[in-house]
Each structure stands twice: as structure tokens, then as C-alpha cells.
């Protein structure tokens, strides 16, 4: 198969786009597409200071690569979770994030949860009901908190994450199978900073398939951590990805169509303005100043603050 | 395994309800459940005249059986589609519908499309773009038209169909995978007669699994047509049913939860009142008086009326 843009041999065929490209044109095409989505969804501009959350995986490192090539002012944030599980998962992913930053002379902030809060994520999860089964809920909450905090404290205009189409479609699928109004109404390529203490968020890769991002990282020679987080095995999210993978195999483009028709329906006013009930009762955590759904400490502060430190905080 | 209600051997185990029942209690349980749903969704009462659309399959015959046992005034409507396909599909389903009516001394209206409109459904579909690939779109449209007409002309208060949970979940799944706002907003156990010329519709079996209905028909000794319509093979609807079957196998109750959380989210106001755009531009067909989405003849009349008869109708 030949490249659509030149006579060279294609390295990737994307039936969902009816497009095959050679290495050179593929490495051009992905940033072009990313730029298109950044503009289409009004994510950020060249004057904005962008912070990219980097996990050491293919999506976030590729996103950092793409944004810096496109000429954005983009620094990285690595959050050390303290996940070892016999494979040195966090150590290796940090090494790869730092290596990428050094190779490209980019600035990387590192926040180590064990150093800053005295506990690894699995240990923190072990103490709480949220992490009863798996540490994923606590981990997600902690990452959201720290990403938001780092972006605010660093004076960044927008925080970006490497969520790809497969991630977004799986989240949408999960939220749809359970009809969770709040999550459905809020899922978007851009989350505005519409609550006090919240930073603006964007997902520039939300329309690119996981497979496309893996091909980009490979062809660009980005070294990334191949392993998925050991705790992700058997997760609901991977389960929904498998179901969507089957539908994609049966009908190329199924995931993209599912995601895009959702965005379109939402833009056309499918959801009632009041459907996001949660958004209407937002409080501010007296400890960290981030938004929370109930009065008092937010879930993150409740989790990380030891009982003997609680009295130091003026909780209303 | 024993029956939950007595000491007899259970004939059916329903893990999604954590319930196993013997034959006697199962044959009580299904009508009790149906009665619960009729009341919960305010479908109809004992004073209403009910018309059940009967296909000769397990769902519609069981529904007729259940409603007459529950003491409702319920007549049947059989629509002859003229589908033969070498297995005498329509002839056999009509025979079974008539046999059931005779055995239970119930009144059955029969409308034969070939006799009344001079053509079978496959022939009618062959003439139109709608039926290019398969006659299913024309068949669905014709059945909706005739059911509505028969219910109105017969002075019935409500038209009921045997759609079961698997049917409803598959339709919802299809409409969700493509985010079709009009269909999402309108899907409901009851469709009010909120447009001129339209009869009220209800689906009393919408919360009962296909498997549960098959067990009911079997245990009640109802003779029904086992074959699916030969044209249904390879349909989108069967495809989505397979996907849902897999999710149900992985998590018993998945289909029910998908459907019920949807109804709940809708009742809680997830969808914007104006999302059903189609509902706002309804016209009346000058030929049959039924509602249609554009001025002029409705799709059914456009399909069945031969070009030389068109001039007899005052089309605006």
C-alpha cells in the first residue's frame, strides 16, 4: 500500500479515515490533526502557558513532543505515585519522563507523592474505603488534585492530558451504560475553569486512536513505558475498551463515530442545562482551596491529612 | 436449586433478580411483574380497551395471554406481511395467532397487507429506496401505520406491543452508539398520543428479559413461531443484541441496569425539553390523517399509493 501523499510505502493504514501514510507524512499528519483539534475546541493558543501531565506512557510523551514541535510553551508535570509491584513501575516511568525532558531540553516538574505526603498511593488507598479493592479511585483523585494544584501554583493557563480517543470513548461508554448524568454532561475535549480554584483542562488527543498514538511514538523514536499500570488489570475501563474494540473491528470508525456524535448531540442541546446537578452545589475545601461537592475537607485532604493534623485546619 | 417461594424444584434461575422459581410460581410471577409495570408507568387500566399487536411470536402471544389473565379487555391485531421466503413465515405466524385466539376465545383482527394494498412487504420494499437493502425499514413503517390505524378505527384506548427488555435495550444501545437525540428522548415504556392522529402506545414487557418471556411461553404451553423473520438475519438490531448479551453474561443484570438507569436519568431531567426537534414540526398526512415529519403525504402513503392514484388526493 502506498502513501496517499507521495509514492513511498505506507507504514500505517487507517481504514476509519480511509487514509494510508508513509513515515514522513504520518509524523506530519498527527501534529496537523492535533493542531486542528486544539483550534476546533478552542483549547489554548501560542501565548498560553501549558502544563502537560506526563506519565511516561506513549500518549503523554507524544503529546508533549507534538505540542513543543507545534511551538507551544509547554512544560511537563510528572507525579510519582510510588507504585512498584515488583516491576519498578513508577521508577521506570519517571526515568523515561526525565529522559524525554532532558533530550528535548524541556522543563519537567516532579511531584513525588511518597515524599510530599509520606505515603505511596497503594498505602494511602489501603487506609481508605475508596481504595478497598484497588487503589485506582484514590490514585485518580490524587492525580486530579495534584495536577490542578501544580498548574495553579505554577501559573499555567491550561493543563493538558494525553487522553486519546480510546480513553474518551471508554469513559463515555461506561458513563452511558450507567447513564450518569453529571459525567455525561461534563465530558468534553475542554473543561472550563468554571469553579473557583479549578484550572482549565484540555485533551488535545481526544480524537486520535490509541493505535495511532502508539504508531506516532514508535515512528518518532520516543522511548516510553510499555507496561500498563499493574493495578489496571481487570479494570472496568479496560473491559469497556474491549467491547469497543470489538465494535471497531466490526465497523472501522465506530469509536470515533460514537464519540463525535455524542459531542455533536451535546452541542445541539441534547442535555438539559440543569442536568449537571453536582455543578450547582460546589464548596471550597478549607485546607487546599480546591472545589469539593460537600462542605468541609475535600476527598483528597480527607485522605492525606492524618487525624492528628486535622485540628490545625479550620473546617466549617 | 429450590423455588424461593416453596419447596419445589426451581425451573428457572434469574441471577439478575437473585431469584429462582418453580413452574407454578413463575407463571404467577410474570403476570404480577407485568401488572407492576403497567401501574408504574401508568400504561392503561381495566376500563380501557386495549389492542395488542400479535406477530405469532413468543412475546406478543404471551403478552396477550398475560393481559387477558389479568382481566384486561384486550383484542388482538395480526398484520399479514406476505413474507414467505420458502418457509411460509407469514402464513405460519398467522395460523399460530389465529389458533391462540380461538383457543382462548379472544377477538383477533387480521389486516393482510397483500390483500389490502395489493403487494407483499418485500415487493413494496423492492420499489422504494427505503427498502433498497432489506425490507425492514418499509416493514416497520407499514406496521406502525397499520397498527395505529387499526387502533384508531377500532376505538381502542391504547395499542400495546410485546417488546421485551432485550428489544428495548438493543434499540437504546443503537440510538446511544449513534447519539440520535430524537430517538433517545422519545424512547419510553409509554408513548402518549401527543400528536393529532396518533394513538397511545405501551410496552408492558419492557422490563422482562427475552429469556424470561421464552420461559413463560414454554411453561404456559403457548405454541408460537420459533423462527425469527428471515430478513432479520445480519440486522443491526441483532448485532447490538449480541454485544449486550456478552455484557449480560459478564455481569448479570447489565441490560436491565442500562435500561433502567436511562429511564431514571430521563425522568430526572437529563434531556433538554427542546432536544426532540422532530416533535416540533409535525404535519398531518392529507391521505391518511396520521402525523408526518414533512408537509405532504406520509412515508407510508407515498409508498403504497401508486402514482396514478396520487392525483385523487388533495396534497398541499
Amino acid at each position: 500500500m502506498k502513501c496517499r501523499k507521495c509514492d513511498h510505502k505506507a507504514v500505517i493504514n487507517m481504514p476509519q479515515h480511509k487514509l494510508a501514510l508513509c513515515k514522513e507524512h504520518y509524523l506530519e499528519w498527527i501534529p496537523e490533526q492535533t493542531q486542528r483539534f486544539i483550534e476546533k475546541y478552542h483549547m489554548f493558543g501560542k501565548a498560553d502557558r501549558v502544563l502537560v501531565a506526563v506519565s511516561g506512557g506513549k500518549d503523554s510523551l507524544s503529546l508533549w513532543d507534538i505540542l513543543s514541535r507545534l511551538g507551544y510553551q509547554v512544560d511537563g508535570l510528572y507525579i510519582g505515585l510510588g507504585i512498584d509491584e515488583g516491576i519498578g513501575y513508577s521508577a521506570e516511568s519517571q526515568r523515561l519522563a526525565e529522559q524525554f525532558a532532558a533530550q528535548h531540553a524541556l522543563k519537567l516538574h516532579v511531584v513525588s507523592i511518597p515524599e510530599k505526603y509520606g505515603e505511596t498511593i497503594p498505602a494511602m488507598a489501603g487506609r481508605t474505603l475508596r481504595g478497598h479493592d484497588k487503589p485506582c479511585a484514590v490514585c485518580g483523585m490524587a492525580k486530579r488534585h495534584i495536577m490542578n494544584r501544580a498548574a495553579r501554583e505554577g501559573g499555567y493557563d491550561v493543563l493538558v492530558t494525553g487522553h486519546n480517543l480510546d480513553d474518551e470513548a471508554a469513559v463515555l461508554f461506561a458513563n452511558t451504560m450507567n447513564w450518569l448524568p453529571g459525567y455525561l454532561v461534563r465530558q468534553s475535549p475542554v473543561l472550563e475553569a468554571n469553579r473557583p480554584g479549578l484550572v482549565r483542562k484540555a485533551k488535545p488527543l481526544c480524537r486520535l486512536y490509541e493505535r495511532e498514538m502508539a504508531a506516532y511514538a514508535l515512528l518518532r523514536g520516543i522511548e516510553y513505558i510499555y507496561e500498563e499500570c499493574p493495578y489496571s488489570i481487570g479494570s472496568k475501563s479496560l473491559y469497556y475498551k474491549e467491547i469497543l474494540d470489538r465494535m471497531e473491528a466490526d465497523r472501522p470508525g465506530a469509536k470515533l463515530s460514537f464519540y463525535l456524535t455524542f459531542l455533536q448531540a451535546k452541542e445541539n442541546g441534547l442535555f438539559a442545562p440543569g442536568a449537571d446537578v453536582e455543578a450547582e452545589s460546589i464548596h471550597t475545601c478549607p485546607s487546599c482551596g480546591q472545589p469539593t461537592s460537600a462542605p468541609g475537607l475535600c476527598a483528597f485532604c480527607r485522605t492525606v491529612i492524618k487525624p492528628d493534623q486535622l485540628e490545625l485546619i479550620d473546617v466549617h
Side-chain angles (χ1 to χ4, degrees), chain A residues 44-70:
Chain A
F44 46 83
K46 295 278 159 78
D48 287 320
R49 290 190 62 225
V50 181
L51 181 67
V52 59
V54 174
S55 69
K58 64 183 187 314
D59 301 302
S60 56
L61 287 179
S62 295
L63 176 57
W64 202 4
D65 177 272
I66 292 165
L67 294 183
S68 62
R69 280 173 195 274
L70 288 170

Side-chain angles (χ1 to χ4, degrees), chain A residues 202-273:
Chain A
K203 296 177 247 191
L205 306 181
C206 64
R207 287 175 60 162
L208 292 163
Y209 279 79
E210 181 164 337
R211 177 178 165 264
E212 292 165 1
M213 294 318 300
Y216 182 83
L218 190 80
L219 294 169
R220 181 63 82 201
I222 295 170
E223 201 188 341
Y224 65 88
I225 188 157
Y226 290 98
E227 284 79 23
E228 295 285 333
C229 173
Y231 288 107
S232 72
I233 295 162
S235 71
K236 262 272 173 302
S237 153
L238 281 188
Y239 174 69
Y240 286 127
K241 278 189 178 179
E242 278 172 35
I243 305 268
L244 287 167
D245 282 345
R246 184 186 150 181
M247 290 197 268
E248 181 75 26
D250 293 331
R251 184 165 69 89
K255 280 181 207 176
L256 188 59
S257 158
F258 176 52
Y259 184 60
L260 292 186
T261 54
F262 164 75
L263 293 183
Q264 192 59 59
K266 204 161 71 136
E267 201 182 313
N268 290 350
L270 174 59
F271 299 124

Side-chain angles (χ1 to χ4, degrees), chain A residues 175-197:
Chain A
N175 292 340
T176 305
M177 288 310 293
N178 300 294
W179 290 95
L180 300 169
Y183 291 101
L184 281 171
V185 169
R186 261 173 285 152
Q187 184 168 359
S188 170
V190 176
L191 288 173
E192 297 298 338
N194 56 0
R195 306 176 198 182

Side-chain angles (χ1 to χ4, degrees), chain A residues 74-123:
Chain A
V74 56
D75 297 340
L77 167 67
Y78 177 83
I79 302 175
L81 306 167
I83 292 173
D84 187 85
E85 297 298 304
I87 58 166
Y89 180 76
S90 285
E92 177 63 4
S93 58
Q94 181 167 349
R95 185 186 73 76
L96 292 164
E98 287 175 340
Q99 171 184 290
F100 182 90
Q103 283 169 348
H104 296 79
L106 292 167
K107 182 174 177 181
L108 179 70
H109 303 274
V110 173
V111 176
S112 160
I113 290 182
E115 280 174 27
K116 187 161 177 146
Y117 300 100
E119 269 182 323
T120 66
I121 285 288

Side-chain angles (χ1 to χ4, degrees), chain A residues 1-34 36 208 211-213 215-216 218-219:
Chain A
M1 193 173 292
K2 287 204 169 168
C3 173
R4 157 92 70 85
K5 301 195 179 179
C6 69
D7 259 359
H8 291 138
K9 193 169 174 287
V11 294
I12 187 165
N13 180 29
M14 296 171 285
Q16 71 280 12
H17 304 308
K18 294 187 178 62
L19 184 64
L21 292 172
C22 70
K23 176 176 171 177
E24 184 196 342
H25 285 115
Y26 187 69
L27 289 177
E28 273 178 26
W29 184 79
I30 288 282
E32 278 165 17
Q33 291 294 303
T34 309
R36 241 188 79 208
L208 292 163
R211 177 178 165 264
E212 292 165 1
M213 294 318 300
Y216 182 83
L218 190 80
L219 294 169

